[in-house]
């Protein structure tokens, strides 16, 4: 199994898949893993999590405090480092400094990834990539939906969305974002699931801001969907 | 109330709204406020103002001299610094170094802004933004119409213009620009007003050059429109 | 009269218009005038000129040698410096370091230019431009057709070409390029003439390579067309 | 004869054409020749070659080892340097640091190339190019299909492909890529052949990854096609 | 009189000199004037001013609030815009976008400045400067002490400091900085005075942080010193 | 207490100080914390730790395997994320995106730090810093020894080293590096301790390569030294 | 004979040497020749020339007007283009886009130049240079004294100046600059003469500003000195 | 054995060492190997070789032609690709895209290299290096003498040269360069030999220009010196 993107939804997905005993690798373009969570909201190191996602914080042992109504806060640096630490200890293998250039395609489905050193890309070196097979791929690359966009470019109009294309992220609507993110966490093309902000960007859901509950729940959900499928 | 863009029209709008006792914040992407007014015309520190806008210069205490016909000149640096100083003293709160990434959307209208440090954006740091509620938003971002373009991208075709899209600024026609700028200063989407060059760019009016009367009057007008609406 | 672009066709046009006693200004974006002629062909300092254009070399006092058939060669640096020197002595006024941002438009025609320091543009400084009136404008900006493209963007589909748009330069066909360049040297929008490579790019003619005869003749032609028009 | 692009398919084509006694020049944009082969797969200096292409390795004297099934490996640096060395010794003339800007076009076919120093392009110097006649041109520029794209831009819709346009490279499908690359190695416009990855990118075949057999065979094939044509 | 650098000390110096009826010009390298004051402390828009400098805030009409002990706070944007506005209204002429390249030197003293467009410098254009005579020059360029460093480079060892060279700014010691800044505000070479942070950097005083009282008082002091000298 | 630099030695020092109930803040210039540990050795995600440092891995719960002799390996991503997570849970407060510009100096010792947003620095914005008091400062900035270098520049020759200056890091000598790093972990100027690679760079010890035991032990040691001092 | 640098002094030197029948080549790093003269003074296209240099303007046929006292003005673009045009017509060969990397040295004197494409240098391509023999070399590279600095770096302390090193340009003193420039125009090392601003920079003379008389006279002088030497 | 730098001297050294059955690795910072030889002289693809070095061309099978006196020419691309191809076939292992950061030092000598991905360096990623042991190291890095400079920085004044430091390359003196290069090819610090231009730069010999005989002979010489030492 391959996860692309090392933000909160990718890490949570990797945790639950690895804990279930699956062999799962996560590819992150940057040197450090964790994505936008390091910066909290505008560099104030606080994130907000909805009540419905507290069980995931508890699963990892991340401390939280009540904020108001059904919202809780956590330290963004504690959250991101503990998610990474917990996912690796659960068995997730992380390849950082690696970017995804392409997918391996069969007529009926995607069966793998084409990866490369992101440093070579940044340095402008012409280096050929390597290919890796993977039964399922989770696109957790956030706004950019990098894997889904490769598929869209190579086989136009075939995505499992209303228009057949990436619908594009909508403006912020925090209240609805959590529910819609979960609904949008699904298989968008045979072999490719979307999770986290990539799910909203693919299906046209609203963005969230520094409220991370939806991200965490989306990671949990995509792991459940794939585990169920593997059993059936 | 939130104003986006700290050029002359935004500052004048902020002044009149604050003077009327409203709570109003202005967001400027750059470290310094004032926009293109610092450079006068091609770095010659002189701006031209039409007679019809002289009452605004007088309101702020900016000195002017007669130039020819109905045109007057003022020192661009005196004008820009006095507009900022005057607006702040009237009660306007300015947040510089802050850029607007997105709006908060409800099906029927825009109800707020999603903001971030512009320094993080320039430095290429992946930092999540914060969200702020605001009853009305004035897009005074000039040629770029940054806020209006966000709305156009997220809900295509829904602007209150002929084509439903940003019409784009026309070539210079100074004589007509003042009248048209005022006519184009209006609510372009529920919750969003346009002022100054953003008004012309949105509704397809002509650009102005270093004649700033239309800018000042557009700022005054947008404040009047919103104050009237708040009363009704 | 205003000429935009200081390459060979613009300089020759400026020379003939100034020699005829007209007041004519040339605007060049770069610090030095002369465009691509400084580099000859791939930095080998030789240009090729067709027999039909030798009278222009002679008019300026540029030396040439026979090459083969109806082709002659000249030193590219002698040619470019002597064209500039000759045009200025004939009365042309050149403003270097100035770029054209926009035109001044009336419903029926273009009546002037909106100019700015190109250094401010390169330095990323937000500086407002100045406006200048001009009865006729010659777009001699080469492949980029900068002035014509402004008109196309502001009033789409109104150019005097087959498609109403810039047709785009065709691949190289040196033999035909000279004839077609002259044919394409004409008024493309009320108030705007195209000359040199801008003529071919606008009307879809072939590019030329380091054979400069067409350029020189196009500059001469556009001057003749405007002088004739002024008389009528 | 002119070959554009100094990767493996271009070098092999150059070798076979030169060995057959034809006068053939290869133009490479970079200072060094060899393209992506220097980097092997993700900078691990190993390339994979299919059994069907071993005769080309043997022709050049490149050593290989059996890997698995019908796949063999070779050292990427030995392969690339020996291809270059062998092609030059066979009579190929290589011009490095030269980029192709345009083609010379006649109504019925392409008859040459317009070339320039790539260093001038990178340095942002405005330097005019030179023109070179060539009976046939091989576009071996890889993913970018630089020559074919020039033709597409200048005479839209006239390529010898299903859509008349560049179809675009498909996702990786290594098993099929070799066969399809050979099938796609053909004349795409009168006077222009495509080889290597440019063939797949033009006709919509799958990309290959670090399996280079198809590249080598495509180079051999395009040479055979042109030699046959020259005889007829 | 010429002031180099448009931060708080330069503006206050310009205000007092202009108010005393002297002809005084201020040169600022950037498009906007005001220097580091726009950013307050780490972009929190608050500055701190000591009690001893409150009379200057009152002179300009800048509002302040008591903070603790002898410290007061003011809004940084109100302060900077009001300083600029007030200085210009008092008669100061500001040339923005202008950098100082050199001084005009006589054996016994400096008698003027050599200035250029800072935009040309940023854009990398080779443009020759202009020369301006000035009886006294105030270097208010902050940490960089730009004018003093020119003198040091051209006539080494002749500054009126302990070592004859720029001593370099010391680490922060806010309590002492105010007193030392005033002491360091003096003539460092015949014709050149230093003010503000440039005074501390020249004479080796401690830096201050976002406590601006010393800056304002240094600007006042340098004006007094020059006015006294002009009378004598 | 303030720690500058979020690599392994800084994190371990922060852990032990926080666990002892001290109030301690860590400042890191980058968005993510962890320094060079994210990249393991040449992006192969493995670090090597000596036997003598295994108790620190065990204290944090980082898994390790025996490699050879007294060397053990750990996953670099597990190690770095678990160090961060553990240190924060122990009570360390981390401020990321913050750089240290200067120190607050009294004649006899350093008593605090002058900090700023690193994003403003990268974005080239002129923003004034803030000052923070701290009884002890640990320079854990690696090769750059950023804090120590500030002291060296401001009060030359006063460091507690053989030459009074930063001695500079020596070439790699892994066997000796661990012992020397511990010996070099000490107070280099009243109020400033050095730890990790900054200790070796300051006192002229050898660099280590991807063997991290010395780093971890140095972090533990500097915490012990400071805790002992606080008791006395 | 080789001249390095295509500003006014180099062009005038080239003119007089070529007119005397000598074979002389000028190397200019940029695409266009003329140096800082294109920009006049701060982009105002006017240069000032002293009475003593008027005969050179007249020699080239550059028009001038009386300004005040012994100063005259000329159009900077007319001047620079006419100098280039005149020098080439007199027989000077110009190689533009060529930079000088080194000299060819014999124990007793310099006997040639090592040149390269400046475009390759800008593009960061590692390209080896070529070597050219020349009996005398004139360094007319302005402030940078590029050739003299090469000699200084390779054989330190051997220049024919007071200190044996480049003395460095002094601050502006226009009145004296003309006289001193002529005095400083001399042989600074066996085989190398300095002219124009390079003469002042080498011997420590004052800079001039936009008064170009000294430049022109220095070019004339260096030609006289070399012609005299060749005769003896 | 380790060679640093993949230009002609390094490749020839690697060839002779490998042919003698030694295990030898070459590290090259760039993606392609060959250094400045790809560009010939100013991108004209011709190199010049002295008679005394012809046996090396013959050893590799590089074709040459007589030029004049004792000078011969070869095609630069044939030469560079055949050197690489021949060296690898002789048994040399090349690691491209790898840069050398440091050496492994024992008090008495250098015993290895500290290497890293050059792509990570270019991309600005903080990645720790790896260490490799090597009995002898050949610095063939050309003008930069990268390895020797590391030693000089870490143990100042200990090089086996007149001054104990890198002497710096002298100006071009082609006639003498060959002899001196051979003389300078020697052990400069226990464990480190210099070859090619690095030898001249270290010992203060003259540079060569596009005459490559000295490079080739220096590569041969350094291999002989090391082979002899290994026997003794």
């Amino acid at each position: 199994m391959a996860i692309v993107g090392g933000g909160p939804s990718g890490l949570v997905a990797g945790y639950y898949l690895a804990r279930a005993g699956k062999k799962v690798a996560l590819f992150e373009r940057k040197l450090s893993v964790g994505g936008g969570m390091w910066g909290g909201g505008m560099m104030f190191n606080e994130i907000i999590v909805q009540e419905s996602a507290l069980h995931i914080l508890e699963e990892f042992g991340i401390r939280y405090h009540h904020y108001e109504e059904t919202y809780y806060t956590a330290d963004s640096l504690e959250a991101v480092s503990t998610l990474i630490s917990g996912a690796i200890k659960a068995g997730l293998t992380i390849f950082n400094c690696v970017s995804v250039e392409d997918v391996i395609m069969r007529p009926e489905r995607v069966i793998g990834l084409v990866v490369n050193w992101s440093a070579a890309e940044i340095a402008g070196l012409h280096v050929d990539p390597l290919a890796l097979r993977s039964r399922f791929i989770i696109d957790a690359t956030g706004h950019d939906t990098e894997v889904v966009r490769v598929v869209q470019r190579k086989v136009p109009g075939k995505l499992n969305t209303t228009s057949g294309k990436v619908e594009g992220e909508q403006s912020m609507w925090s209240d609805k974002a959590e529910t819609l993110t979960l609904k949008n966490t699904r298989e968008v093309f045979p072999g490719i699931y979307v999770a986290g902000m990539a799910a909203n960007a693919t299906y046209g859901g609203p963005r969230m801001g520094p409220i991370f509950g939806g991200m965490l729940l989306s990671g949990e959900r995509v792991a459940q969907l794939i585990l169920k499928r593997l059993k059936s």
Side-chain angles (χ1 to χ4, degrees), chain A:
Chain A
M1 221 96 57
I3 300 167
V4 186
S9 63
L11 290 166
V12 170
Y15 171 85
Y16 283 110
L17 287 167
R19 212 196 50 177
K22 304 301 165 196
K23 200 176 155 196
V24 51
L26 185 152
F27 298 94
E28 166 60 44
R29 177 187 293 277
K30 299 227 171 116
L31 179 59
S32 60
V33 186
M37 216 181 202
W38 289 99
M42 279 182 77
M43 303 199 246
F44 300 111
N45 288 342
E46 206 75 358
I47 58 167
I48 297 175
V49 176
Q50 301 95 316
E51 197 165 52
S52 54
L54 290 184
H55 68 281
I56 299 178
L57 296 186
E58 284 162 1
E59 174 84 22
F60 280 86
I62 297 165
R63 296 168 301 179
Y64 55 87
H65 303 87
H66 187 247
Y67 173 55
E68 55 172 37
E69 297 165 43
T70 59
Y71 293 106
Y72 291 75
T73 64
D75 179 272
S76 62
L77 295 178
E78 176 180 343
V80 69
S81 59
T82 309
L83 284 178
I84 303 167
S85 171
I88 295 174
K89 286 182 180 167
L92 177 68
T93 305
I94 298 182
F95 296 93
N96 53 344
C97 299
V98 170
S99 58
V100 170
E101 281 194 2
D102 198 353
V103 296
I104 313 180
M105 185 75 83
R106 284 301 164 273
E108 70 290 355
R109 62 171 297 173
V110 164
I111 62 158
L113 291 170
V114 180
V115 300
N116 212 335
W117 292 116
S118 53
E121 191 186 56
I122 299 170
L125 298 180
H126 182 159
V127 170
D128 273 306
L130 289 181
L132 299 164
R133 300 226 160 192
S134 170
R135 184 152 172 202
F136 293 110
I137 292 162
I138 299 171
D139 183 338
T141 60
H143 310 289
D144 300 331
T145 61
E146 292 178 20
V147 182
V148 174
R149 281 186 193 277
V150 163
V151 173
Q152 179 176 266
R153 201 170 60 243
K154 297 295 175 73
V155 283
K158 301 291 191 193
L159 299 182
N160 176 20
T161 63
T162 311
S163 67
K165 297 186 293 188
V166 171
E167 304 287 356
E169 190 183 71
Q170 289 306 299
S171 280
M172 192 180 280
W173 187 346
S174 306
D175 316 343
K176 276 219 168 173
E178 184 189 324
T179 323
L180 287 167
T181 305
L182 279 182
K183 189 167 149 273
N184 293 335
T185 300
R186 45 190 295 205
E187 191 175 31
V188 67
F189 186 86
I192 299 186
Y193 285 79
V194 282
M197 282 318 300
N200 279 336
T202 301
Y203 284 100
R207 65 185 290 181
M208 276 180 279
I211 304 184
F212 281 85
M215 291 298 144
L216 304 173
L217 292 166
S218 174
E220 183 189 42
R221 165 73 57 94
V222 78
Q224 290 166 347
L225 290 174
I226 290 178
L227 289 172
K228 200 167 148 190
R229 177 109 165 247
L230 287 170
K231 278 180 203 144
S232 63

